[in-house]
Amino acid sequence: MDFNDSPEQAEFRQKVIAWLDENVDKKASLSTGGMESEQALIEARAWQNKIFDAGWACQTWPKEYGGRGASAIEQVIWSQEVSKYPTRDGFFAIGIGNCGPAIMLYGSEDQKRKLLPRMARADDIWCQMFSEPGAGSDVAGLKTRAEKQGDKWIVNGQKIWTSQAQYADYGVLLTRTDPSLAKHKGLTMFFLDMKQPGVEVRPIKQADGGQAFNEVFFTDVEIPDEQRLGDVNGGWGVALTVLMNERLAIAGVAPNGWPEYWDMIRELQLDGRPALEDAEVRRKTAEWYVKNAGLKNAQARMLSAVAKGGIPGAEASLGKLVGAPMCQDISRYALDLFAQSGACTEEQLSIMNGQFQKAYLYAPGLRVAGGTDEVMRNIIAEQVLGLPPDVRIDKGVPFNEIQAGNQGGK
Ligand SMILES: Cc1cc2nc3c(=O)[nH]c(=O)nc-3n(C[C@H](O)[C@H](O)[C@H](O)COP(=O)(O)OP(=O)(O)OC[C@H]3O[C@@H](n4cnc5c(N)ncnc54)[C@H](O)[C@@H]3O)c2cc1C
């Protein structure tokens, strides 16, 4: 395992750093913390346009679809470096990171040429509609139905927690097409126009006042069969492609709060003395320093695998399982240290522009999005440690015979 960049990777990293240094205002303060305002969308689109014009967008995509035909490791290096700057691309991350690769693998040539460059250039926003009120961790238990009528499908049902659906032009949608098959086997994936009749998006108000995700309702929504991604009842395989690419998109950039904490704690004064002279602060700081070092090494191991042509495996779950709770602990502790001013969320008035206040509110979501702590533990137990699998009493049982109240079964 080599933790250092190869000479080619180091050269590429330097190129990226030079371009970012020249093109990003490091001191810029983003107008809001999340993906909830029109202003944030304008900033995100301008940034994505800029990196597209400079040829950095969608590193691994073929040039004819708007990318630069680069290797996965270059994509990871780019993501690592760009994550150190105050830029905004969250509105396009799900499209480019998750939906794009699915279109690339399962879309027709016409669809690829039409949709992918628009995605890369930030002309269109995409969302991912998997989770439902009764199907999150166990997403294969979803109930949204798609029924074939001639050469189109009629969709009825509901999704939830769909990030940026209120802005989305398109979405990928996982549906149940055959309830008589076992739950993973009767699913089919589509993409659809989010502005078409029968699609209703209702934003969900969050604890921090933002509205980054939504409920989406489908009433007799028509989807042409040519917008099916993959085989009928083969949707689970397509969903796994989307989720695997999500891992690559976040590989190496999962936040844990350490860089912000370290910047803050070196400057903070408590009762007129440097905070780092306090024994308890030193103990906590040492603990997070060690965790951060462990995460960095685990990440380097994952990057070595990516550089050799692999994809981030279950190790990515480790980063999230340690990093997301760490982010929550750090932000909670920072707010304690700030005493009364910890309650102030006003960017201009708060220490470090209110970053810790924002992190405190979004960290719980970080622990849930893309798989909860418990789900990460199950993945690590089964796929890394080789422990016996979670109990699955519905394995192989036709979906419409599963005895589970709200699962749509008996
Ligand atoms: C910020 C954010 C953005 C999101 N964006 C999207 C999006 O764009 N598209 C989308 O489709 N979804 C999205 N989600 C939904 C997300 O994927 C789900 O919230 C997540 O998978 C958990 O599902 P759930 O909320 O239904 O919780 P549940 O699955 O109902 O879990 C409830 C509790 O049970 C525990 N649990 C469940 N199963 C097990 C098990 N087998 N063993 C042990 N414990 C278990 C969980 O850990 C949790 O504590 C988003 C979520 C968040 C927080």
Side-chain angles (χ1 to χ4, degrees), residues 39 49 69 101 165 194-195 214 268 278 307 315-316 335 377 399:
Q39 179 56 28
N49 285 164
M194 291 295 288
K195 312 287 186 206
N214 306 266
L268 191 71
D278 180 276
E315 304 87 359
L335 296 196
R377 285 199 178 91
F399 183 72

Side-chain angles (χ1 to χ4, degrees), residues 351-382:
I351 298 173
M352 289 182 73
N353 296 329
Q355 287 187 49
F356 294 95
Q357 284 85 341
K358 281 178 205 155
Y360 180 70
L361 291 171
Y362 77 63
L366 213 55
R367 294 179 70 170
V368 172
T372 64
D373 290 4
E374 290 78 10
V375 166
M376 294 299 129
R377 285 199 178 91
N378 277 346
I379 293 173
I380 293 164
E382 291 175 28

Side-chain angles (χ1 to χ4, degrees), residues 94 128-133 135-138 160-163 213 365-366 368-375 378 390:
I94 287 181
Q128 174 181 313
M129 292 172 286
F130 288 8
S131 305
E132 296 187 4
S137 303
D138 182 20
I160 195 168
W161 314 126
T162 315
S163 302
F213 45 35
L366 213 55
V368 172
T372 64
D373 290 4
E374 290 78 10
V375 166
N378 277 346
D390 202 10

Side-chain angles (χ1 to χ4, degrees), residues 16-17 19-35 39-51 56 78-93 253 260 355 362:
V16 169
I17 293 171
W19 188 85
L20 289 170
D21 268 345
E22 205 172 305
N23 287 280
V24 188
D25 175 5
K26 279 191 190 171
K27 294 200 177 62
S29 165
L30 299 176
S31 55
T32 65
M35 299 187 295
Q39 179 56 28
L41 177 54
I42 291 168
E43 288 171 15
R45 187 160 264 144
W47 169 247
Q48 187 66 27
N49 285 164
K50 193 169 187 173
I51 62 175
W56 294 113
W78 165 265
S79 305
Q80 283 181 326
E81 294 306 324
V82 84
S83 72
K84 297 174 187 163
Y85 292 78
T87 62
R88 196 193 281 288
D89 63 359
F91 291 90
F92 306 99
V253 294
E260 297 80 5
Q355 287 187 49
Y362 77 63

Side-chain angles (χ1 to χ4, degrees), residues 5-143:
D5 285 339
S6 69
E8 298 77 39
Q9 288 160 10
E11 194 187 325
F12 178 73
R13 193 182 292 278
Q14 282 317 313
K15 255 199 224 166
V16 169
I17 293 171
W19 188 85
L20 289 170
D21 268 345
E22 205 172 305
N23 287 280
V24 188
D25 175 5
K26 279 191 190 171
K27 294 200 177 62
S29 165
L30 299 176
S31 55
T32 65
M35 299 187 295
E36 55 268 359
S37 72
E38 296 290 337
Q39 179 56 28
L41 177 54
I42 291 168
E43 288 171 15
R45 187 160 264 144
W47 169 247
Q48 187 66 27
N49 285 164
K50 193 169 187 173
I51 62 175
F52 180 85
D53 290 344
W56 294 113
C58 305
Q59 308 271 338
T60 55
W61 294 11
K63 289 189 178 141
E64 62 272 29
Y65 304 141
R68 55 178 287 271
S71 63
I73 191 68
E74 290 189 350
Q75 172 67 63
V76 173
I77 291 173
W78 165 265
S79 305
Q80 283 181 326
E81 294 306 324
V82 84
S83 72
K84 297 174 187 163
Y85 292 78
T87 62
R88 196 193 281 288
D89 63 359
F91 291 90
F92 306 99
I94 287 181
I96 289 170
N98 306 7
C99 309
I103 300 286
M104 195 95 64
L105 269 177
Y106 299 101
S108 68
E109 191 54 33
D110 273 359
Q111 287 165 346
K112 289 190 239 185
R113 286 183 186 272
K114 179 181 160 214
L115 299 169
L116 293 174
R118 291 185 58 83
M119 204 188 275
R121 205 168 39 227
D123 292 342
D124 297 328
I125 297 179
W126 284 65
C127 63
Q128 174 181 313
M129 292 172 286
F130 288 8
S131 305
E132 296 187 4
S137 303
D138 182 20
V139 76
L142 63 84
K143 290 196 290 183

